[in-house]
Amino acid sequence: MTSPFYHIPYYPSFDCMTPANAAEAFERLIPEANAAVDTLEATFTPSWTGLMQPLHEACHPLYDAWGLLNHMLSVMNSDAWRRVQEAVQPKVVAFSLRVGQSKTFYSGFKHLQSADRNAPFLTAVQRRILSKAIQGAEQSGVGLAPEQQARFNAIQLQLAQLTTVFRNNVLDATKAFSIVLRTREEADGLPVALLAVTAQAARDAGETTATAENGPWKITLDIAVYQPFMMHSRNRSARETLYRAYAMRASAGQNDNTPIIEQSLALRREVATLLGYATFADLSLSNKTAKTVAAVDDLIAQLADASHEAGQREADELLAFARAHGFTEAALQPWDIAFWSERQREQRFDYSDEELSRFFPFSHVLEGLFGLASRLFDIVIAPADGEAPVWHPDVRFFRVSDTDGTPRACFFLDPYSRPETKSGGAWMNDFRTREKRPDGSVTLPMALIVCNQSVPVGQAASVMRFSEVETLFHEFGHALQHMLTTVDEPDASGVNGIEWDAVEIASQFMENWCYDRTTLKGLSQHDVTGDKLPDTLFEKLVAAKNYRAATAMLRQLFFAATDMDLYARYPRPEWADANAVKQLNAAKYSPTPLLPDDRFLCSFSHIFSGAYAAGYYSYKWSEVLSADAFAAFEEAGLDNADAVRATGRRFRDTLLALGGGTDPSDVFFRFRNRAPSVLPLLRHSGLIRDDRSTVHTR
Ligand SMILES: [Zn+2]
């Protein structure tokens, strides 16, 4: 029997994948990929079909299998999967460096580029792919002298390993911690749903008599438990224990990420120097739309200026509120903030996160989301469970087609939190990419959407917290951009080839619809009464949207500024270590002080084991564009169905269709007929009242 990782069929055999058959497949895939590349190097002709297409073909059996191996590691993590991934990784890194550093291919690219310049024959999309291939080769060290190249390769390998260890440390540290609450007094304030989930966790851990009513309840750092616990628990000392454990994850003992942080920063600095860039941030920004550190600093400063005063006011108001409701200390501690914010929100807007969540049964939310996609983009999404293998029984499968039935794409959705085996957070993986082959056949895109939302308890339908609904919309936005691409070249179709600071536009755009009346009412249905979300509650939700918006904005700016400092300006004599840089930025941006022994950087996976190194600002950069894109719908009139449909169609034909084949700034211009403005984001965040009178451009 052949391995499911070897010559992967269109629908991967997720249900048959094991660490052993993965290892077996890579034994063959690696030498075969190397041989295919060797042959191509000796035989290619410098044309699109003679070089670019066959090079893609030569690499993809290995890269596809590698993508699936990493997917399995992130959704079904175990020691056995880790061992395979760790064993294969150096060989895949070596292969990609070998391709990137091929002087033969590089001169082929250059040859093709100059031929096209003399007498243009490539499409605009192909031209962009080619120039990115040239830049990619240069940044893979194709031009380095042999000793420098050896050092460069050693660093790349080490960085890849550090990335994996960092991620595993965070996962292990998160899993390692839990507390058990045994009396109703200790569990005071916890919502019914959380009591049920944590009693189930206690039962799973051997407390066979645990019940939602009488406990015991096992509280963990799993985000689906940790967040609501911090918002609702009246047990302040348990909140402090949890908060400290969360803030200090992976900062000591076996899972300590502290040395990895300094090593990663130093290695990335060295990479930048080898390639002739002043800093790693300059290297990172050279292939993003922001282009320069100054442009990023400028965006952070603009948004911070608009938020500082409001952020301070929010902090003062929260303290005053807590004091008026029995809090007696001089200052709120970090473990008090979520709790008192939630009480203040309940009082000010008169609803609770818990009450709201009853209106969002998962199945109904999905239907509403698909209805919205159909209303905006003229597509039909149909469940097709059972038509493709899945990696876990909870995973759902769907097909996407045009309204005339033309198939467009398919996607998997793995919705629930599984802290034992699944990485935290939510993401979209672009497994299959749209591709038109020389024979005219087309591969349709396939997306893997992974969330970590609340787990259903027993027979009850799973209800979603509102923030989980927003997350689902976000990931679905990524998937839409991947699935509705019209680009035929795989290196630029879907989310491929999009500059990193523009990849969050479609995703953050979709989040806006969670505050659209028609959409939200459409996806709501009370899990007991069956009622739609009442208008009064919808209006409260909208009013509450910008509750502490400045604080939320400043938190993102704190992360973005810390990331930029670490990759553009670190080290400096006055900065003792990376942690000190984070503390300085916390003092600058956060309206309430961070815990002195906070070790957040040790779990800041985005910039140490994700793709956001010198790129965390991308969220805000994209959000400026996504807010401005949504403003086009507001201007057309959200209640005007025809106008919404027409604008949606334009959005589909530009932002969703053009993928990485066109510069993101041009794509935005085509949709909006002007350059982006920061004002819609500030207005949506309640930080300015109106942006209609003036339109500034960035
Ligand atoms: Zn995203």
Side-chain angles (χ1 to χ4, degrees), residues 474-475 478 503-504 507 612 619:
H474 177 105
E475 299 310 332
H478 283 306
V503 293
E504 297 295 337
S507 54
Y612 286 88
Y619 283 105

Side-chain angles (χ1 to χ4, degrees), residues 170 173-174 177 220-227 230 239-251 424-425 555 595 597-604:
V170 174
T174 305
F177 183 90
T220 64
L221 300 182
D222 171 22
I223 196 71
V225 171
Y226 175 77
Q227 257 180 4
M230 296 307 287
R239 284 204 317 260
E240 177 176 352
T241 306
L242 260 286
Y243 182 90
R244 285 183 182 278
Y246 197 82
M248 296 177 70
R249 276 178 306 158
S251 70
R555 185 176 157 81
L595 207 60
D597 42 6
D598 171 279
R599 300 297 297 281
F600 159 69
L601 283 186
C602 290
S603 57
F604 197 6

Side-chain angles (χ1 to χ4, degrees), residues 13 20 87 165 200 225 254 266 457 459 461 469 550 563 571 650:
S13 307
V165 177
Q200 183 163 295
V225 171
Q254 279 187 327
V457 177
Q459 294 303 306
V469 175
D563 170 46
R650 200 149 44 85

